[in-house]
Amino acid sequence: MIEIYGVRLETNIDSLPIWRLVQALPPERQERIHRFRRKEDAIRTLAADLLSRLLICNWLNIRNKDIRLTQNAYGKPLLEENSGLYFNNSHSGEWVVSAIAGSPVGIDVEKVEEIDFSIAGRFFSEQECLDLDLRRGEAKLNYFFDLWTLKESYIKAAGMGLSMPLDSFTVRAGNDGRIELITLNEFRGCSFRQYPIGPGYKLSVCTQDDRFPDHIGLLSMDELHERFMAYV
């Protein structure tokens, strides 16, 4: 089974009690958050870390201090002693999202913004570019971000980062909601799911487990703070 949660960032970030939870993170994560010049970037990273840790604590019934993380050869965070549990997070604009599952999982959220479609030729496969060029106007923009988040969720689930070229596999999203993966990469047997999360955003999830929830859970910043405190 997969659990997926989203947190919508608030505008009054200066007064949020969640800032005090920076100390609940490992020193290297605290340093990274403190290095951000913009508070908006710091709060996104903090909320993403806390949300992933909340899901891990809840899944394993452990306290935050008992979480031990390591990295694979490509830098993806993993649990040291629970190889059967996987997690991933993402953030963009006003949304932070996290997924946790019993098989490799990747999640990506992106704010839909005007872009230069020539980017597709640099990162998408030939078939994906052809599919994109069949669309016009808003439909083309939305499909670009469908493809982008689906592809990002796949490489994040595979855990190889950008060492896996984005044009080394093809994703095709049909109007009926079906999503097809075409690849010669070793990471196969994947299922995808997209969820509505808010106007102007795209959210995609990839995993080797097809037991997706019907809906994602939504938390406010205060709820994230309150629930996390139960595991401190």
Side-chain angles (χ1 to χ4, degrees):
M1 185 62 182
I2 309 158
E3 292 184 17
I4 306 166
Y5 279 85
V7 175
R8 187 174 184 176
L9 304 183
E10 299 176 11
T11 55
N12 59 331
I13 61 175
D14 288 333
S15 60
L16 291 173
I18 200 172
W19 286 113
R20 295 192 290 270
L21 293 179
V22 172
Q23 297 179 357
L25 301 179
E28 65 275 11
R29 297 302 294 175
Q30 295 184 39
E31 292 174 9
R32 182 170 189 267
I33 290 169
H34 288 312
R35 283 199 302 268
F36 284 112
R37 293 184 178 181
R38 299 176 67 248
K39 287 188 176 181
E40 292 83 359
D41 296 326
I43 197 68
R44 288 187 192 100
T45 301
L46 172 60
D49 281 7
L50 293 176
L51 182 56
S52 287
R53 285 176 165 267
L54 172 63
L55 298 186
I56 293 169
C57 288
N58 185 62
W59 190 296
L60 297 176
N61 193 28
I62 62 175
R63 303 191 73 80
N64 174 63
K65 65 181 179 63
D66 297 322
I67 295 176
R68 298 288 182 269
L69 297 181
T70 184
Q71 295 182 345
N72 70 4
Y74 303 95
K76 182 177 180 178
L78 300 170
L79 285 163
E80 275 189 355
E81 299 177 359
N82 292 279
S83 58
L85 184 64
Y86 302 84
F87 66 96
N88 193 231
N89 60 46
S90 177
H91 52 77
S92 178
E94 62 186 17
W95 283 102
V96 170
V97 294
S98 186
I100 190 168
S103 63
V105 63
I107 188 169
D108 191 57
V109 63
E110 297 290 343
K111 185 177 182 180
V112 177
E113 300 178 304
E114 292 297 328
I115 50 93
D116 180 354
F117 286 107
S118 66
I119 295 174
R122 293 165 49 199
F123 297 108
F124 290 179
S125 71
E126 182 177 355
Q127 183 62 62
E128 288 167 340
C129 290
L130 290 173
D131 291 342
L132 182 64
D133 287 341
L134 291 175
R135 293 159 170 83
R136 295 291 181 269
E138 186 176 351
K140 184 173 184 177
L141 183 65
N142 279 313
Y143 193 68
F144 175 92
F145 281 96
D146 282 331
L147 289 178
W148 189 269
T149 56
L150 287 166
K151 290 173 75 67
E152 282 286 334
S153 71
Y154 172 77
I155 65 171
K156 293 174 77 175
M160 297 178 62
L162 292 178
S163 63
M164 176 184 288
L166 282 169
D167 62 356
S168 69
F169 61 95
T170 294
V171 177
R172 307 189 74 187
N175 294 329
D176 58 358
R178 295 180 62 185
I179 300 167
E180 179 186 10
L181 172 67
I182 304 169
T183 182
L184 295 177
N185 295 322
E186 292 183 5
F187 190 73
R188 304 181 192 180
C190 300
S191 296
F192 295 87
R193 182 78 178 260
Q194 293 184 285
Y195 293 91
I197 193 170
Y201 287 85
K202 293 288 186 176
L203 171 62
S204 298
V205 184
C206 172
T207 182
Q208 291 178 320
D209 184 341
D210 62 358
R211 295 174 296 168
F212 290 97
D214 292 332
H215 308 282
I216 68 172
L218 297 178
L219 299 176
S220 68
M221 295 293 280
D222 286 341
E223 288 173 325
L224 174 59
H225 175 266
E226 180 180 352
R227 294 194 187 188
F228 189 86
M229 285 298 295
Y231 294 102
V232 172

